[in-house]
Amino acid sequence: MKKLTINILLQTIFIINIAAQTGVNSVEKARQYPIITNKPAVNFFEGALLGNGGMGTVVTTRPDAISFHFGHNNVWDIRIAEENKAETLTFDEIVSKIKSLPPEIKNIRDDKWLKDYFEKMHANYDKPYPRPFPCGTVILGFDRRKTEMLGHKIDISTGMCEIYLLNSNGTKNTLQIFADMTADKIWFRLVDENQRPAPSCFNRIRILPDKRTPKEFPKYTVTEDISLGFTQILPSLEPDKYDINTGHPNDKAFRLEARISSPLTNGFRHPATGEDEPLRPAERYIAAGNIPFTGLISLTEGSATDIKPEEINIPEPTPEQYLNAFEATVASWKEYWNKSGIALSDTFLEQIWYHNLYFYNCAIKAGATCPGLFANWSFGDIGTAWHGDYHMNYNTQQPFWLSFSSNHLDKNLPYADLVDHLLPVSKMWAEKYYKMRGAFFPHSAYPVEMTHHPYPVPDWGWEVCETPWTVQGLWWHYLYSIDTDFLRDRTFNPVRQAVLFLVDYMKRPDAHGSQWKDDRYHIIPSVPPELYSLKPGFRNNYDPLTDITLTKFIFKAYLEAVRILKYDRQESATVRDVKQILEKLPDYSTVESSEYGEIYTSVPGETDRMVYNYPANLTHVFPGEEYGIDAPADIKHKLLNTYHAHQNEGGNDIVSLSTAGARLGVLDIEKFKRQVKYCLLPNGTASDLCMQTGGRYDDITRFDFMASMGIWIENFALPLVINECLMQSYDGTIRLYPNWDKSQDAEFSTLRAVGAFLVSSRLASGNVEYVNILSEKGQICRLKNPWGNAAVRITRNGTPAETLNGDLLTFKTKAGETVLINSDVL
């Protein structure tokens, strides 16, 4: 009895010690990874990235000035071309035309009628709009004879950017800049070497509209009073339909204005012509003086009827206002960082994780428009490639994958809003074009009102996988939150609409019948992601692996949602169809590789030499989540063969292929790090860079051609790869360190797992020291025993409870309960 009491006491002390030591101080960790440039950063891709999730600002530095380039997720050129509606044929009419092609036609576009039709359907997309619209630039100039630019640093723990200036008398000044996290404002102040407010060392301020503003736009209106700025109207109609004098009720507008504490004076420029010229619009000299230099730049956006050029909203900036705003901003960043954290022995992996989560918070927030390809940073034509739009075959979804395991579920809400926005036009297209129920989601889309399919081209526009892929993130949101209200109000209807379309599509006579010599429900025609386009006879356009796995995913999600919401009676017919098709989907296609053995292919008939763009022959690992590290042995063997045989041209693989590798437990982390380093830009973001020829790229291809297009938001999901190396839960079982070298120390705090569990753990000296699980919703927890089959001690809310053993630990939880698990060593 005495020995038992001592053991219990020692166990309690051990638990208390573990509890006291758990948790990563992610704010301090973030502070360890500033983004530093020790020279002028004159290029857009060298500048400091700031933002509040809606507004984005790139701060570049020249030897003679500082420039603030503004963008906003809500600000777009909202004009849209929707011509050729009457000429748009139905799906059946186009299929019939393709079926009638003579056998000698090897390429769809070799047929003149189809070539002309494809070009006509592409004409709307050929217009330069819609697109993100840059919101202008503010410049602070200084006299190079008196002040020298040294460089800048971003403290990502607080969002503070410091620009370092050297004065001719040997003293140094720092311009401290931050994005207000509660309003679309940039604050700045000048301090001396002792952090005391300092008077201005700047001599000029100027505000410029974007240099690529279309000539057919209404002329911007300049404000030159106590503040400087301009207002730009964004027409809602195309040039041939728009009256520039009267405008339109649906027009949008924005105003960019700046105000500083120093007096402004008018005057003249002294250009190289030798003839003095007046200062340009929205340009003034800054008068010298002893007033502490403080400034504020405000971006206002919305309806053109609400944004009046004559209304000045910007307050006089004072040191007190600056400090109050900064205090609120620091608190906002602290709350953000405290959601989750990691501490690794590998500092570069830590840097990847913290840098990209910093960019993530700058680029996305609930209530703002879902960002497109290049987030909220734009300038000139930077950020406008492919309209900067929504590509629904992974690009749009990828950054939101990070929101789940990193415990930032609020970041997924703009994506849910996007799905709601796309649903009406997707249902219309299913009904009018396909003559089917439900919704067929578009390949490309925009955050503007759409009355016609934005990409009605029968090539990439026929990617069936994009329909289940679009709604997948809504189901993930439920799985990671167990938020039944979200499931009912935001998830179920879009998922149901996708399911209805898929059911009708696969029950067509072309997709199921005796001509197939089987009883399967096929997916035809379709186009695998970024491969083949459309072929005569649909020879590479049936049963893509990506389509099958995502269809399985969303069918299973639908059935589970029906069960949870108790919709069995009202959904009985669709449930019956879904179960019938689910049992009879085609097998995944494979091919024998002489070097690697049997491997999966993206479509039937594919060779083992295919160079992929997106890893389309591994999507049943991720994002399909059908298989992973515990796959049946025969399937696991083929998956590993496929992973090792996979060739990828790069640009779309750094997150998805790496995540698939981690899910299989075979990701080479050192190789992953080298690829990230290869893709890094001076601003700390990872771009889309090519990796090899043999697919769409040739020896004369610039391997960095996509780097100059914009800031690729999709790669902000890089921390997901690290999360998956540390913890996986996609199938409802939590696995710790599944793709991690156990000799390398690691710790993580409150990574979110399926089932609404927040998981924390530490690995040190090859041993898992503890697992701490906070159950938000009281679900049953399943944990792969990190100590093998050893007995483990369960402590609930600080009180020792039961002992468990075995390879899989299963235990009940209560909502709000904290469960500490450690090896029963005593």
Side-chain angles (χ1 to χ4, degrees), residues 365-496:
K365 74 173 179 181
T369 299
C370 180
L373 292 171
F374 306 108
N376 48 356
W377 297 290
S378 57
F379 175 70
D381 59 359
I382 297 172
T384 64
W386 294 293
H387 297 263
D389 65 10
Y390 304 126
H391 274 42
M392 304 311 294
N393 60 349
Y394 102 86
N395 303 86
T396 304
Q397 293 93 328
Q398 183 164 293
F400 297 97
W401 297 342
L402 179 59
S403 67
F404 306 114
S405 60
S406 287
N407 193 24
H408 293 289
L409 285 177
D410 58 302
K411 297 294 186 186
N412 192 51
L413 295 178
Y415 183 81
D417 294 340
L418 172 63
V419 176
D420 289 342
H421 172 71
L422 297 180
L423 192 56
V425 74
S426 302
K427 290 178 66 177
M428 177 276 296
W429 194 246
E431 178 186 0
K432 303 293 186 185
Y433 183 76
Y434 283 99
K435 310 298 183 185
M436 298 177 194
R437 299 173 299 163
F440 181 89
F441 287 90
H443 171 66
S444 292
Y446 317 107
V448 303
E449 183 180 351
M450 296 173 289
T451 62
H452 186 57
H453 194 288
Y455 193 88
V457 189
D459 47 19
W460 312 120
W462 277 12
E463 289 186 59
V464 174
C465 66
E466 292 177 322
T467 286
W469 213 337
T470 296
V471 299
Q472 180 185 43
L474 303 179
W475 178 246
W476 272 336
H477 194 112
Y478 168 73
L479 286 182
Y480 282 84
S481 68
I482 311 299
D483 184 339
T484 308
D485 290 337
F486 187 92
L487 175 64
R488 180 185 301 105
D489 300 337
R490 304 298 303 272
T491 300
F492 185 74
N493 185 48
V495 167
R496 179 178 184 271

Side-chain angles (χ1 to χ4, degrees), residues 4 34 42 61 172 246 322 359 374 392 432 481 529 547 741 764:
L4 178 61
V42 300
T61 54
K172 293 181 179 179
T246 61
Y322 174 95
F359 300 135
F374 306 108
M392 304 311 294
K432 303 293 186 185
S481 68
D547 295 42
D741 180 351

Side-chain angles (χ1 to χ4, degrees), residues 19 49-50 228 247 293 298 328 424 501 520 526-527 604 612 625 683 693 697 706 746 748 814 816:
L49 298 183
L50 306 178
L228 296 178
F293 184 73
S298 175
F501 174 82
R520 306 301 180 95
S526 187
V527 180
Y612 296 91
E625 299 194 324
N683 59 18
T693 61
Y697 305 143
M706 288 182 281
F748 59 86
K814 296 178 181 178

Side-chain angles (χ1 to χ4, degrees), residues 404-407 480 662-663 719-730 733-740 748-754 757-761 771-773 783:
F404 306 114
S405 60
S406 287
N407 193 24
Y480 282 84
R663 287 282 177 89
L720 170 69
V721 179
I722 299 168
N723 293 349
E724 293 293 327
C725 291
L726 298 173
M727 184 197 75
Q728 295 176 14
S729 68
Y730 65 93
T733 296
I734 298 170
R735 297 172 178 82
L736 300 179
Y737 312 106
N739 195 106
W740 192 259
F748 59 86
S749 291
T750 55
L751 294 184
R752 182 173 286 273
V754 166
F757 297 110
L758 298 182
V759 184
S760 305
S761 179
V771 184
N772 197 69
I773 299 176
L783 172 68

Side-chain angles (χ1 to χ4, degrees), residues 106 329 420 455 461 476 516 560 631 641 692 744 784 787:
K106 303 301 181 186
T329 294
D420 289 342
Y455 193 88
W476 272 336
W516 289 97
E560 182 65 6
N641 290 349
Q692 72 172 79
Q744 300 296 310
K784 188 87 168 178
W787 297 280

